[in-house]
Amino acid sequence: MAGKPITLGSRIKLANGQSMPQIHLGVYMTSGVETINAVKWALEVKIKVAGYRAIDSAQMYHNEREVGSSILRFIASPGNTSSLRREDIHFTSKLASNTSYNAARKSIKESVKQSGLGYIDLFLLHSPYGGKTKRLECWKAVEDAVEDGEVKTGGVSNFGVKHLQELLASNPRLHPAVNQIEVHPFNTRTEITSFCQEHNIVVEAYAPLARAKKLEDPSMTSLSKKYSCTPAQLMVRWSLQHGFVPLPKSVSKSRIIANGAVGGFEIDGADMKTMDGLDEYLVTDWDPVDCD
């Protein structure tokens, strides 16, 4: 991605011919008013020419309703100076567990209802847990949700290479457009990201800031000084230059703004290699990529 100007308005092409914003606000472990405010601030902020245009939620986050209501309030508010419509704002949710086709179909319908947005732009299987049979059943539920207009694009999350191979080998009606995994300079997951990029699956990077565990790492502080940016901005920019879609999460207005302001610098090739070399397989949450 190096060489291309990147703003919050930048979009990335998906395997189904659609596109989505290249930076999303994450709302993991947020609730109530803090979720509503974080979404509002993200949508309202103007960095260069645009604010955030994508929000990443999930059934397990228990905040689909708050995200949806905040999006709709923003659209109807005076703060919507760009006259954005529902279709201009990308909403992601994820299936909490892979249990059965029927349970998944019912669960997707409930997510659409909870959000109040009429449809879900991107719906993911949140993990590969449950075994092959249940994973493939639930993928068929996603395919049918797309066919019925409840979901625009289907994808997966926390899938390892073997899970992706299994899905692709099943001759699915829909190609998984996205695999959302933990990726940052301290956990580069090269095997998975390379497989995804070879098979036209966009990598979404959750925990792109390594949940702030490495912001004071000497390499990060040194490089952030070189590029006159924060360590968090450096990590978001690293994701973007690898062609990933980072999902920085914050409930602080100032950090939401800062995390999206990454268009004013470009990390050079040598420093990208330095950051790649920081990999220590740091897992900041769960790690289902090798499960059966």
Side-chain angles (χ1 to χ4, degrees):
M1 300 304 296
K4 295 183 179 180
I6 299 172
T7 71
L8 287 173
S10 299
R11 300 182 72 87
I12 191 167
K13 193 82 176 283
L14 301 174
N16 62 359
Q18 298 190 40
S19 67
M20 68 179 181
Q22 210 165 343
I23 303 175
H24 298 202
L25 177 73
V27 293
Y28 173 60
M29 290 187 70
T30 73
S31 62
V33 173
E34 69 176 358
T35 304
I36 292 169
N37 284 338
V39 172
K40 172 179 176 286
W41 294 330
L43 294 172
E44 283 181 348
V45 67
K46 290 288 187 296
I47 300 171
K48 296 293 185 183
V49 295
Y52 287 76
R53 296 293 176 259
I55 313 295
D56 180 81
S57 182
Q59 293 174 352
M60 285 200 294
Y61 302 172
H62 302 291
N63 57 20
E64 293 168 308
R65 184 187 300 274
E66 287 83 356
V67 172
S69 67
S70 191
I71 289 172
L72 293 175
R73 285 182 201 171
F74 168 75
I75 289 171
S77 75
N80 182 12
T81 56
S82 299
S83 300
L84 298 176
R85 300 164 297 173
R86 160 67 185 95
E87 54 265 39
D88 298 316
I89 300 172
H90 192 275
F91 173 68
T92 298
S93 194
K94 312 177 193 77
L95 185 70
S97 59
N98 302 321
T99 52
S100 70
Y101 170 87
N102 288 335
R105 277 304 281 118
K106 182 179 179 182
S107 191
I108 294 169
K109 291 177 185 293
E110 182 60 24
S111 281
V112 175
K113 181 181 176 183
Q114 285 288 323
S115 73
L117 295 172
Y119 62 88
I120 294 169
D121 295 276
L122 175 64
F123 193 86
L124 312 177
L125 302 186
H126 205 152
S127 83
Y129 289 141
K132 177 179 179 178
T133 299
K134 291 180 179 178
R135 282 193 290 271
L136 294 181
E137 275 190 34
C138 291
W139 183 251
K140 290 185 188 305
V142 173
E143 291 176 321
D144 285 348
V146 171
E147 189 173 299
D148 291 346
E150 298 161 6
V151 170
K152 297 293 185 184
T153 300
V156 297
S157 181
N158 294 296
F159 270 43
V161 170
K162 65 181 180 181
H163 306 123
L164 295 168
Q165 290 173 327
E166 166 194 283
L167 178 53
L168 295 175
S170 72
N171 296 314
R173 284 174 286 153
L174 293 179
H175 185 87
V178 165
N179 186 22
Q180 185 182 124
I181 52 177
E182 178 173 354
V183 184
H184 45 72
F186 300 90
N187 191 351
T188 58
R189 296 196 190 272
T190 305
E191 182 185 11
I192 300 175
T193 59
S194 296
F195 183 91
C196 288
Q197 291 174 331
E198 288 165 10
H199 291 83
N200 201 18
I201 300 170
V202 170
V203 172
E204 285 192 330
Y206 75 75
L209 311 182
R211 305 208 195 282
K213 294 179 183 292
K214 291 289 188 175
L215 296 182
E216 297 182 6
D217 179 271
S219 293
M220 301 304 297
T221 56
S222 173
L223 286 172
S224 64
K225 287 178 183 175
K226 175 178 177 178
Y227 291 101
S228 301
C229 66
T230 67
Q233 288 171 324
L234 190 73
M235 294 174 86
V236 170
R237 183 73 200 194
W238 175 89
S239 270
L240 292 166
Q241 288 186 209
H242 271 298
F244 308 152
V245 173
L247 319 171
K249 173 245 172 166
S250 182
V251 293
S252 157
K253 185 174 184 178
S254 62
R255 285 195 292 271
I256 288 170
I257 294 169
N259 292 342
V262 293
F265 68 99
E266 182 178 325
I267 306 168
D268 69 34
D271 291 335
M272 285 292 289
K273 287 183 180 178
T274 296
M275 292 178 72
D276 292 346
L278 297 173
D279 185 22
E280 58 184 62
Y281 204 83
L282 173 66
V283 175
T284 64
D285 204 316
W286 61 345
D287 193 24
V289 298
D290 291 319
C291 74
D292 293 330

